[in-house]
Amino acid sequence: LLEANLSPWGFDVEIIEDEIIQTQGVVLGILRVFEGYLAIGLLVGAASLAMVALRSVSERIRENGIFRAMGATRSRLVGLHTLELSYVACLGLCIGMVAALVFHVSLHDLYWTDEMRPLIVPWMPMAIIAGTSLVIAGFATLPPVLSASKVEPAEALRLIEG
Protein backbone atom coordinates (compact mmCIF):
# COMPACT_ATOMS: atom_id res chain seq x y z
CA LEU A 1 0.00 0.00 0.00
CA LEU A 2 2.78 2.44 0.89
CA GLU A 3 4.74 1.54 -2.21
CA ALA A 4 1.71 2.06 -4.43
CA ASN A 5 1.08 5.50 -2.93
CA LEU A 6 4.71 6.72 -2.81
CA SER A 7 6.15 5.21 -6.03
CA PRO A 8 4.68 7.85 -8.35
CA TRP A 9 6.56 10.56 -6.39
CA GLY A 10 9.90 8.76 -6.75
CA PHE A 11 10.14 7.18 -3.31
CA ASP A 12 11.50 3.68 -2.87
CA VAL A 13 9.78 1.65 -0.17
CA GLU A 14 11.66 -1.21 1.46
CA ILE A 15 10.47 -3.40 4.30
CA ILE A 16 12.96 -3.34 7.17
CA GLU A 17 12.05 -6.87 8.24
CA ASP A 18 13.23 -8.21 4.85
CA GLU A 19 16.53 -6.33 5.21
CA ILE A 20 17.05 -7.71 8.73
CA ILE A 21 16.31 -11.28 7.62
CA GLN A 22 18.76 -10.93 4.73
CA THR A 23 21.48 -9.55 7.04
CA GLN A 24 20.85 -12.30 9.58
CA GLY A 25 21.22 -14.88 6.81
CA VAL A 26 24.63 -13.50 5.90
CA VAL A 27 25.76 -13.44 9.55
CA LEU A 28 24.51 -16.99 10.15
CA GLY A 29 26.29 -18.13 6.99
CA ILE A 30 29.56 -16.69 8.28
CA LEU A 31 29.01 -18.40 11.63
CA ARG A 32 28.43 -21.71 9.84
CA VAL A 33 31.78 -21.26 8.10
CA PHE A 34 33.36 -20.78 11.55
CA GLU A 35 31.64 -23.96 12.73
CA GLY A 36 33.08 -25.79 9.73
CA TYR A 37 36.56 -24.60 10.67
CA LEU A 38 35.90 -25.74 14.22
CA ALA A 39 34.94 -29.21 13.00
CA ILE A 40 38.05 -29.42 10.81
CA GLY A 41 40.20 -28.28 13.73
CA LEU A 42 38.58 -30.90 15.94
CA LEU A 43 39.38 -33.68 13.49
CA VAL A 44 42.95 -32.46 12.96
CA GLY A 45 43.42 -32.25 16.74
CA ALA A 46 42.12 -35.78 17.22
CA ALA A 47 44.38 -37.08 14.45
CA SER A 48 47.35 -35.26 16.01
CA LEU A 49 46.59 -36.75 19.40
CA ALA A 50 46.37 -40.21 17.84
CA MET A 51 49.79 -39.68 16.26
CA VAL A 52 51.22 -38.55 19.61
CA ALA A 53 49.73 -41.64 21.23
CA LEU A 54 51.14 -43.92 18.55
CA ARG A 55 54.60 -42.41 18.86
CA SER A 56 54.49 -42.47 22.65
CA VAL A 57 53.53 -46.14 22.68
CA SER A 58 56.04 -47.18 20.04
CA GLU A 59 58.89 -45.39 21.81
CA ARG A 60 58.08 -47.07 25.09
CA ILE A 61 57.79 -50.69 24.08
CA ARG A 62 60.68 -51.64 26.36
CA GLU A 63 59.32 -49.69 29.32
CA ASN A 64 55.88 -51.24 28.90
CA GLY A 65 57.45 -54.71 28.78
CA ILE A 66 59.50 -53.97 31.91
CA PHE A 67 56.36 -52.78 33.70
CA ARG A 68 54.66 -56.02 32.65
CA ALA A 69 57.68 -58.07 33.86
CA MET A 70 57.47 -56.26 37.22
CA GLY A 71 53.85 -57.35 37.60
CA ALA A 72 51.83 -54.53 36.06
CA THR A 73 48.62 -55.77 34.49
CA ARG A 74 47.44 -54.89 31.00
CA SER A 75 44.62 -52.83 32.43
CA ARG A 76 47.14 -50.90 34.54
CA LEU A 77 49.16 -50.05 31.41
CA VAL A 78 46.01 -49.01 29.57
CA GLY A 79 45.09 -46.81 32.53
CA LEU A 80 48.55 -45.25 32.64
CA HIS A 81 48.58 -44.36 28.95
CA THR A 82 44.95 -43.24 29.05
CA LEU A 83 45.68 -40.90 31.95
CA GLU A 84 48.64 -39.39 30.12
CA LEU A 85 46.73 -38.87 26.87
CA SER A 86 43.66 -37.58 28.70
CA TYR A 87 45.84 -34.94 30.31
CA VAL A 88 47.14 -33.87 26.88
CA ALA A 89 43.62 -33.83 25.43
CA CYS A 90 42.20 -31.82 28.33
CA LEU A 91 45.06 -29.35 28.16
CA GLY A 92 44.46 -28.79 24.45
CA LEU A 93 40.73 -28.53 25.04
CA CYS A 94 41.19 -25.92 27.78
CA ILE A 95 43.50 -23.85 25.59
CA GLY A 96 40.98 -24.03 22.74
CA MET A 97 38.03 -23.09 24.94
CA VAL A 98 39.86 -20.10 26.44
CA ALA A 99 40.83 -18.95 22.93
CA ALA A 100 37.21 -19.32 21.80
CA LEU A 101 35.95 -17.31 24.78
CA VAL A 102 38.48 -14.55 24.14
CA PHE A 103 37.42 -14.45 20.48
CA HIS A 104 33.73 -14.38 21.46
CA VAL A 105 34.21 -11.55 23.95
CA SER A 106 36.33 -9.61 21.43
CA LEU A 107 33.62 -9.92 18.78
CA HIS A 108 31.02 -8.78 21.29
CA ASP A 109 33.09 -5.79 22.36
CA LEU A 110 33.79 -4.84 18.75
CA TYR A 111 30.26 -5.09 17.35
CA TRP A 112 27.59 -5.22 20.03
CA THR A 113 28.77 -3.22 23.04
CA ASP A 114 27.80 0.07 21.39
CA GLU A 115 24.27 -1.28 20.89
CA MET A 116 24.06 -2.16 24.61
CA ARG A 117 23.60 -5.85 23.82
CA PRO A 118 24.42 -8.22 26.69
CA LEU A 119 27.29 -10.68 26.39
CA ILE A 120 25.80 -14.14 26.06
CA VAL A 121 28.26 -17.00 26.35
CA PRO A 122 26.99 -20.18 24.66
CA TRP A 123 27.83 -22.55 27.51
CA MET A 124 25.71 -25.46 26.29
CA PRO A 125 27.21 -25.60 22.77
CA MET A 126 30.67 -25.27 24.32
CA ALA A 127 29.94 -28.18 26.65
CA ILE A 128 28.67 -30.28 23.74
CA ILE A 129 31.78 -29.47 21.70
CA ALA A 130 34.03 -30.26 24.67
CA GLY A 131 32.31 -33.59 25.30
CA THR A 132 32.42 -34.50 21.61
CA SER A 133 36.10 -33.57 21.48
CA LEU A 134 36.94 -35.80 24.42
CA VAL A 135 34.97 -38.73 22.97
CA ILE A 136 36.68 -38.35 19.57
CA ALA A 137 40.08 -38.08 21.28
CA GLY A 138 39.32 -41.20 23.28
CA PHE A 139 38.42 -43.20 20.18
CA ALA A 140 41.43 -41.83 18.28
CA THR A 141 43.88 -42.91 20.99
CA LEU A 142 42.27 -46.26 21.80
CA PRO A 143 44.15 -48.43 19.26
CA PRO A 144 47.66 -47.28 20.29
CA VAL A 145 46.81 -47.57 23.98
CA LEU A 146 45.48 -51.10 23.54
CA SER A 147 48.56 -52.10 21.55
CA ALA A 148 50.75 -50.86 24.42
CA SER A 149 49.08 -53.30 26.76
CA LYS A 150 49.83 -56.28 24.51
CA VAL A 151 53.61 -56.10 24.90
CA GLU A 152 54.88 -59.36 26.33
CA PRO A 153 57.56 -59.08 29.04
CA ALA A 154 59.86 -61.62 27.35
CA GLU A 155 59.76 -59.71 24.07
CA ALA A 156 60.61 -56.45 25.78
CA LEU A 157 63.50 -58.03 27.66
CA ARG A 158 64.88 -59.42 24.37
CA LEU A 159 64.79 -55.87 22.98
CA ILE A 160 66.87 -54.65 25.94
CA GLU A 161 69.49 -57.37 25.56
CA GLY A 162 69.70 -57.03 21.76
Side-chain angles (χ1 to χ4, degrees):
L1 181 65
L2 279 176
E3 188 171 7
N5 290 333
L6 296 176
S7 294
W9 291 340
F11 291 104
D12 188 23
V13 177
E14 293 183 20
I15 299 173
I16 293 175
E17 183 179 4
D18 293 341
E19 296 290 326
I20 291 172
I21 289 172
Q22 184 178 5
T23 303
Q24 281 180 339
V26 170
V27 170
L28 290 176
I30 291 170
L31 290 176
R32 284 192 183 91
V33 169
F34 282 148
E35 288 175 354
Y37 284 135
L38 175 70
I40 291 169
L42 178 63
L43 293 176
V44 167
S48 299
L49 188 61
M51 293 305 295
V52 167
L54 186 62
R55 184 173 174 110
S56 171
V57 166
S58 67
E59 287 180 352
R60 291 198 255 166
I61 291 174
R62 282 188 239 149
E63 288 87 354
N64 291 333
I66 291 170
F67 281 143
R68 291 287 316 276
M70 291 175 21
T73 62
R74 287 185 173 164
S75 62
R76 185 75 165 175
L77 278 177
V78 168
L80 182 68
H81 286 288
T82 302
L83 180 66
E84 176 186 351
L85 294 169
S86 296
Y87 173 74
V88 172
C90 287
L91 189 63
L93 184 65
C94 288
I95 290 170
M97 288 295 183
V98 168
L101 280 173
V102 167
F103 182 71
H104 183 73
V105 170
S106 297
L107 278 180
H108 176 267
D109 291 345
L110 186 63
Y111 293 110
W112 293 297
T113 300
D114 294 340
E115 297 178 14
M116 305 299 248
R117 300 255 177 124
L119 174 65
I120 300 171
V121 178
W123 294 113
M124 187 55 79
M126 285 180 68
I128 291 170
I129 290 169
T132 304
S133 299
L134 290 177
V135 168
I136 290 173
F139 281 124
T141 58
L142 191 62
V145 167
L146 290 178
S147 72
S149 69
K150 294 178 182 174
V151 174
E152 294 297 327
E155 178 186 340
L157 293 176
R158 273 194 304 268
L159 288 173
I160 291 174
E161 292 172 1

